[in-house]
Amino acid sequence: MDDQHRAQKPQSWGPRNSQGSAPPNARSAPPQGPAPESPYQGETPPRPKKRRRVFLWIFLAVQILFLIWVITGAASGSGTPEECRGLAGDDLKLCEDANDAGTAIGVGLIIGLWAAVDVILGFTYVVYRLATRRS
């Protein structure tokens, strides 16, 4: 029985010609059997999860808060301050100018803080993207 198995040529896959062996350099067609079993019998596969843009909304909320803060800070310096009431002439002018300078310094500090927070948020986003990227 071992002699019979040793005498046979190894079978090759693919179409056979009339002589029983595959033609040289012939490519076989893919099998025409039933499709492989799918875990989703009659259903469409679930869609991949839609990426939520949480960072974008947080970033926009921070921008709106800073914009409101700058507007209210600048508006607080308009008009004659209570400390300047009752003054006249050069004293009134000096008091109003000092109030305007203080308002400008305050608004400038808010804008500087705004820029610093934006830089920190930007670096945080870059680190997050690098940590969650797919290879």
Side-chain angles (χ1 to χ4, degrees):
M1 191 151 108
D2 284 333
D3 293 334
Q4 286 180 343
H5 289 296
R6 287 184 196 165
Q8 289 180 352
K9 287 185 176 181
Q11 293 182 354
S12 63
W13 298 95
R16 304 230 181 244
N17 62 14
S18 60
Q19 297 163 353
S21 65
N25 297 331
R27 295 183 183 211
S28 63
Q32 298 296 326
E37 291 295 319
S38 171
Y40 308 105
Q41 300 285 335
E43 300 176 13
T44 58
R47 291 179 145 180
K49 287 185 177 181
K50 184 178 176 184
R51 289 186 50 201
R52 301 191 193 282
R53 301 197 178 247
V54 176
F55 185 83
L56 174 67
W57 293 108
I58 291 173
F59 182 78
L60 289 176
V62 168
Q63 302 310 304
I64 290 170
L65 289 173
F66 270 107
L67 185 62
I68 291 170
W69 194 10
V70 166
I71 291 171
T72 56
S76 70
S78 64
T80 304
E82 288 182 31
E83 298 84 20
C84 298
R85 293 209 174 116
L87 299 175
D90 288 339
D91 290 337
L92 177 62
K93 179 74 173 147
L94 182 63
C95 185
E96 287 177 345
D97 288 345
N99 184 52
D100 292 343
T103 301
I105 290 171
V107 170
L109 287 174
I110 293 171
I111 291 172
L113 181 63
W114 188 357
V117 168
D118 281 350
V119 168
I120 291 169
L121 285 174
F123 281 132
T124 304
Y125 182 70
V126 168
V127 168
Y128 169 75
R129 292 289 296 187
L130 289 175
T132 59
R133 70 178 177 178
R134 295 184 183 128
S135 297

